[in-house]
Amino acid sequence: MACERKLVESEATTGFFVLLGTKGKKETLEWCMKANLIASHYECPKCKKNMRLLERKGTVDGYEWRCRNQSKDNRHDVVRSVRKGTWFSESKLAITIFLRLTRYWFGKSMNAFVVNDLKVNKNTVVDWYMFCREVCMLACVKE
Protein backbone atom coordinates (compact mmCIF):
# COMPACT_ATOMS: atom_id res chain seq x y z
CA MET A 1 0.00 0.00 0.00
CA ALA A 2 2.29 2.70 -1.30
CA CYS A 3 -0.32 5.44 -0.90
CA GLU A 4 -0.60 4.79 2.85
CA ARG A 5 3.18 4.61 3.27
CA LYS A 6 3.68 8.02 1.62
CA LEU A 7 1.32 9.66 4.12
CA VAL A 8 2.74 7.88 7.17
CA GLU A 9 6.38 8.49 6.21
CA SER A 10 6.00 12.25 5.95
CA GLU A 11 7.39 13.71 9.19
CA ALA A 12 5.52 16.98 8.73
CA THR A 13 2.22 15.19 8.26
CA THR A 14 2.75 12.79 11.14
CA GLY A 15 3.87 15.56 13.46
CA PHE A 16 0.89 17.67 12.51
CA PHE A 17 -1.59 14.87 13.17
CA VAL A 18 -0.01 14.13 16.54
CA LEU A 19 -0.29 17.77 17.60
CA LEU A 20 -3.60 18.49 15.84
CA GLY A 21 -5.59 18.84 19.06
CA THR A 22 -3.32 21.71 20.13
CA LYS A 23 -3.39 23.66 16.84
CA GLY A 24 -5.51 26.75 16.30
CA LYS A 25 -8.01 27.13 13.48
CA LYS A 26 -5.76 29.34 11.35
CA GLU A 27 -2.76 27.05 11.71
CA THR A 28 -4.96 24.08 10.74
CA LEU A 29 -6.25 25.91 7.66
CA GLU A 30 -2.71 26.89 6.65
CA TRP A 31 -1.65 23.25 6.89
CA CYS A 32 -4.64 22.26 4.75
CA MET A 33 -3.58 24.86 2.18
CA LYS A 34 -0.03 23.47 2.06
CA ALA A 35 -1.45 19.96 1.68
CA ASN A 36 -3.74 21.20 -1.15
CA LEU A 37 -6.87 20.17 0.73
CA ILE A 38 -8.30 23.70 0.46
CA ALA A 39 -7.45 26.70 -1.73
CA SER A 40 -4.51 28.84 -0.65
CA HIS A 41 -5.93 31.88 -2.43
CA TYR A 42 -9.02 33.06 -4.28
CA GLU A 43 -9.40 35.65 -6.99
CA CYS A 44 -12.36 37.95 -6.57
CA PRO A 45 -14.82 37.37 -9.42
CA LYS A 46 -15.75 41.09 -9.40
CA CYS A 47 -12.39 42.89 -9.40
CA LYS A 48 -9.93 40.02 -10.14
CA LYS A 49 -7.77 40.89 -7.11
CA ASN A 50 -6.73 38.31 -4.52
CA MET A 51 -9.27 37.87 -1.76
CA ARG A 52 -8.10 38.04 1.88
CA LEU A 53 -8.47 35.28 4.45
CA LEU A 54 -10.25 36.89 7.39
CA GLU A 55 -11.33 35.61 10.78
CA ARG A 56 -15.11 35.30 11.00
CA LYS A 57 -16.97 34.27 14.13
CA GLY A 58 -20.03 32.18 13.44
CA THR A 59 -18.43 30.11 10.69
CA VAL A 60 -17.62 26.51 11.51
CA ASP A 61 -13.93 26.90 10.58
CA GLY A 62 -13.55 30.45 11.92
CA TYR A 63 -12.32 32.02 8.65
CA GLU A 64 -13.60 33.04 5.22
CA TRP A 65 -12.25 34.54 1.99
CA ARG A 66 -13.42 38.12 1.49
CA CYS A 67 -13.00 41.00 -0.94
CA ARG A 68 -14.46 44.41 -0.12
CA ASN A 69 -14.26 47.30 -2.52
CA GLN A 70 -15.75 50.67 -1.62
CA SER A 71 -14.97 52.52 -4.86
CA LYS A 72 -17.94 54.12 -6.61
CA ASP A 73 -17.45 52.36 -9.93
CA ASN A 74 -17.02 48.79 -8.62
CA ARG A 75 -18.50 48.58 -5.12
CA HIS A 76 -18.78 45.00 -3.89
CA ASP A 77 -18.45 42.67 -0.91
CA VAL A 78 -17.69 39.11 -2.02
CA VAL A 79 -17.45 36.27 0.50
CA ARG A 80 -16.28 32.70 -0.11
CA SER A 81 -16.12 29.78 2.28
CA VAL A 82 -12.66 28.28 2.88
CA ARG A 83 -14.33 24.98 1.93
CA LYS A 84 -15.59 26.08 -1.50
CA GLY A 85 -14.83 23.47 -4.12
CA THR A 86 -13.53 20.88 -1.65
CA TRP A 87 -14.92 17.65 -0.27
CA PHE A 88 -15.36 19.48 3.06
CA SER A 89 -18.01 21.76 1.52
CA GLU A 90 -21.06 19.57 2.18
CA SER A 91 -20.38 18.91 5.86
CA LYS A 92 -21.26 20.77 9.03
CA LEU A 93 -18.23 19.41 10.89
CA ALA A 94 -15.18 21.60 11.42
CA ILE A 95 -12.16 20.73 9.26
CA THR A 96 -10.22 20.10 12.48
CA ILE A 97 -12.71 17.37 13.40
CA PHE A 98 -12.33 15.79 9.93
CA LEU A 99 -8.58 15.68 10.35
CA ARG A 100 -8.72 14.31 13.88
CA LEU A 101 -11.23 11.65 12.80
CA THR A 102 -8.83 10.67 10.02
CA ARG A 103 -5.91 10.49 12.43
CA TYR A 104 -7.91 8.27 14.76
CA TRP A 105 -8.87 6.04 11.83
CA PHE A 106 -5.18 5.65 10.87
CA GLY A 107 -4.40 4.82 14.49
CA LYS A 108 -7.23 2.26 14.59
CA SER A 109 -8.81 4.02 17.58
CA MET A 110 -11.96 2.49 18.99
CA ASN A 111 -15.21 4.22 18.08
CA ALA A 112 -16.24 4.81 21.70
CA PHE A 113 -12.95 6.58 22.42
CA VAL A 114 -13.34 8.85 19.38
CA VAL A 115 -16.97 9.70 20.25
CA ASN A 116 -15.90 10.68 23.75
CA ASP A 117 -12.77 12.61 22.71
CA LEU A 118 -14.27 14.57 19.81
CA LYS A 119 -17.79 14.90 21.23
CA VAL A 120 -19.37 13.65 17.99
CA ASN A 121 -22.20 11.22 17.35
CA LYS A 122 -21.24 7.54 17.03
CA ASN A 123 -22.85 7.46 13.57
CA THR A 124 -20.47 10.24 12.50
CA VAL A 125 -17.49 8.10 13.51
CA VAL A 126 -18.85 4.99 11.80
CA ASP A 127 -19.64 6.92 8.60
CA TRP A 128 -16.23 8.59 8.52
CA TYR A 129 -14.37 5.33 9.15
CA MET A 130 -16.33 3.70 6.31
CA PHE A 131 -15.52 6.65 4.03
CA CYS A 132 -11.80 6.33 4.84
CA ARG A 133 -11.85 2.62 4.03
CA GLU A 134 -13.58 3.30 0.72
CA VAL A 135 -11.06 5.97 -0.25
CA CYS A 136 -8.16 3.62 0.52
CA MET A 137 -9.77 0.77 -1.39
CA LEU A 138 -10.26 2.99 -4.45
CA ALA A 139 -6.67 4.25 -4.25
CA CYS A 140 -5.33 0.71 -4.02
CA VAL A 141 -7.47 -0.46 -6.94
CA LYS A 142 -6.05 2.38 -9.07
CA GLU A 143 -2.46 1.36 -8.22
Side-chain angles (χ1 to χ4, degrees):
M1 298 201 187
C3 54
E4 186 175 278
R5 248 182 276 119
K6 287 178 192 172
L7 183 63
V8 172
E9 290 173 355
S10 167
E11 287 183 32
T13 301
T14 304
F16 180 82
F17 277 111
V18 168
L19 296 172
L20 187 57
T22 65
K23 302 288 182 184
K25 290 181 178 183
K26 186 158 189 182
E27 197 171 0
T28 300
L29 292 177
E30 288 169 348
W31 183 86
C32 288
M33 289 174 192
K34 287 178 189 169
N36 293 318
L37 295 175
I38 62 174
S40 59
H41 67 279
Y42 263 110
E43 182 180 278
C44 175
K46 299 278 186 180
C47 67
K48 306 299 182 207
K49 293 182 182 177
N50 278 338
M51 298 176 81
R52 295 183 356 187
L53 184 64
L54 298 174
E55 189 171 8
R56 172 74 186 248
K57 290 184 169 100
T59 61
V60 68
D61 297 309
Y63 286 83
E64 66 186 5
W65 293 104
R66 184 167 222 148
C67 180
R68 284 188 192 149
N69 189 331
Q70 299 298 325
S71 69
K72 290 181 181 180
D73 55 326
N74 191 16
R75 186 172 296 206
H76 63 271
D77 187 8
V78 177
V79 178
R80 292 265 190 272
S81 168
V82 294
R83 300 166 173 239
K84 183 171 176 60
T86 71
W87 51 274
F88 298 117
S89 63
E90 299 300 316
S91 178
K92 296 174 185 171
L93 290 176
I95 290 175
T96 326
I97 299 295
F98 276 121
L99 297 175
R100 292 179 71 191
L101 276 166
T102 304
R103 185 208 178 277
Y104 284 139
W105 178 79
F106 274 120
K108 299 181 181 175
S109 296
M110 300 296 290
N111 292 13
F113 170 78
V114 177
V115 166
N116 186 53
D117 189 51
L118 299 181
K119 309 294 186 252
V120 294
N121 184 287
K122 67 179 181 178
N123 293 334
T124 300
V125 176
V126 170
D127 289 347
W128 190 253
Y129 277 22
M130 286 174 46
F131 175 73
C132 288
R133 279 192 294 275
E134 288 174 21
V135 168
C136 286
M137 285 180 7
L138 290 172
C140 290
V141 167
K142 285 183 180 180
E143 287 186 11

